[in-house]
Amino acid sequence: MRRFIRHPVNVPIEVSAGQASLIDCAHTSDIGLGGLAFHCDKKLQPGTMVHIKIPYIYPTFESDAKVIWCRELRHGTDLAVEFLSEDDAFKARMIEQICYIENYRHAAKSDENRMLTFEEAAMEWIDKYAADFPSWL
């Protein structure tokens, strides 16, 4: 049974393992307090240490993590990693909220033809959805 709730989120990430160069990873598939899952082109064994970088946000999120599982697919693999520190897990929670707000901003533009600043989108998102956002603390 999963210890932490995961939430879908589509965020560009960069992953490296040891001395290996950048592993080709497109986007996360979900993120939770314990870690995140993503699709990538390489198979990594459980226990492998990786470095995660999410340049989508400012300041850029970086964290070391450990591969928990790896599932081979027809085209690449799905991997899940666990953050090594509680501080990084908390930062990932903030990233998750930022991504939801950014998705809300893009939806307002495409669905309603409204151009919102990030701050305007954040205020609307908080007013509409923050109360329903799960608390893990």
Side-chain angles (χ1 to χ4, degrees):
M1 180 168 202
R2 177 171 279 155
R3 293 185 326 173
F4 301 107
I5 299 169
R6 288 193 178 272
H7 298 279
V9 64
N10 186 7
V11 180
I13 65 169
E14 298 173 1
V15 179
S16 56
Q19 299 297 335
S21 60
L22 188 66
I23 297 170
D24 182 22
C25 295
H27 293 82
T28 61
S29 55
D30 60 43
I31 191 167
L33 185 58
L36 59 90
F38 55 91
H39 184 78
C40 114
D41 67 337
K42 292 190 173 41
K43 178 181 178 182
L44 297 174
Q45 296 298 319
T48 301
M49 302 306 287
V50 295
H51 185 76
I52 305 290
K53 183 176 180 180
I54 304 178
Y56 178 73
I57 59 149
Y58 180 80
T60 298
F61 172 80
E62 293 191 55
S63 177
D64 292 322
K66 178 173 67 172
V67 174
I68 301 302
W69 55 258
C70 178
R71 294 187 185 126
E72 290 187 74
L73 305 171
R74 187 174 197 169
H75 300 287
T77 59
D78 281 342
L79 290 121
V81 298
E82 177 180 57
F83 297 119
L84 301 179
S85 78
E86 288 183 28
D87 186 49
D88 286 347
F90 179 76
K91 288 177 189 174
R93 170 106 167 122
M94 297 301 103
I95 290 167
E96 179 184 14
Q97 290 178 343
I98 289 167
C99 293
Y100 275 109
I101 292 166
E102 192 63 21
N103 287 340
Y104 179 84
R105 189 173 75 84
H106 288 289
K109 180 181 177 186
S110 65
D111 298 346
E112 303 168 20
N113 201 28
R114 292 191 308 135
M115 301 292 289
L116 300 174
T117 66
F118 182 83
E119 291 77 17
E120 291 167 336
M123 294 303 292
E124 286 186 22
W125 184 89
I126 289 167
D127 187 51
K128 290 180 180 182
Y129 304 110
D132 297 326
F133 200 73
S135 174
W136 296 325
L137 301 177

